[in-house]
Amino acid sequence: MRSRTKGYEQLPVQSDEPVSSSTSSKKTDLSQYKLDDLRFEQLRTEVPVGSIVLAIFLMVFGICSFIVAWLHATQQLLGKQQAEIGFTIIGFMTFIPGWYHCRIAYYTWRGYRGYSFDRIPRC
């Protein structure tokens, strides 16, 4: 276990200018630190256009599958018996991932905090 009796030491100054002793020990000169450090910048990522187009297609295909399932259930569209169950399952399997990724793309485009194009997988 580490001992708490040892105090902190001052970091070495990396600038060529000598440190003046006239400054108070409580106030530190922040000009010696590089404030535009690249580690703290958020990198710009390119927009995954292909993935967004695929997400929109999946969402629209899922909605169309729900409509076809509804038409089968109300017997407006004749076909095999119990076809609406298959179309409903296909609709859920395509609509949910499409809607999820479209929502992430929309929130990123609008600038909501915590959303970025990095959360959308590339295709």
Side-chain angles (χ1 to χ4, degrees):
M1 188 169 222
R2 193 171 167 188
S3 173
R4 293 185 183 212
T5 58
K6 185 176 180 183
Y8 292 104
E9 298 175 4
Q10 185 177 4
L11 292 174
V13 178
Q14 295 180 357
S15 66
D16 295 335
E17 300 174 11
V19 177
S20 63
S21 61
S22 63
T23 59
S24 173
S25 63
K26 292 182 181 179
K27 292 184 178 181
T28 57
D29 184 23
L30 295 178
S31 65
Q32 65 185 352
Y33 298 108
K34 188 176 180 181
L35 296 178
D36 58 344
D37 196 354
L38 294 177
R39 293 177 295 171
F40 303 112
E41 272 189 33
Q42 185 174 2
L43 298 175
R44 289 272 186 197
T45 58
E46 61 184 45
V47 179
V49 178
S51 298
I52 294 173
V53 169
L54 178 63
I56 291 171
F57 171 75
L58 286 174
M59 189 173 68
V60 170
F61 186 77
I63 291 171
C64 291
S65 295
F66 285 136
I67 291 171
V68 170
W70 178 73
L71 290 174
H72 271 285
T74 59
Q75 296 180 352
Q76 300 291 326
L77 184 66
L78 298 176
K80 292 184 177 181
Q81 294 286 353
Q82 302 292 324
E84 65 268 5
I85 294 173
F87 281 111
T88 303
I89 291 171
I90 295 292
F92 274 120
M93 288 175 56
T94 57
F95 176 77
I96 291 175
W99 173 78
Y100 177 74
H101 289 102
C102 284
R103 183 179 64 102
I104 291 173
Y106 176 75
Y107 284 167
T108 304
W109 175 66
R110 293 291 296 182
Y112 284 88
R113 242 178 128 174
Y115 290 93
S116 70
F117 288 121
D118 293 333
R119 296 178 69 183
I120 301 175
R122 308 283 190 250
C123 60

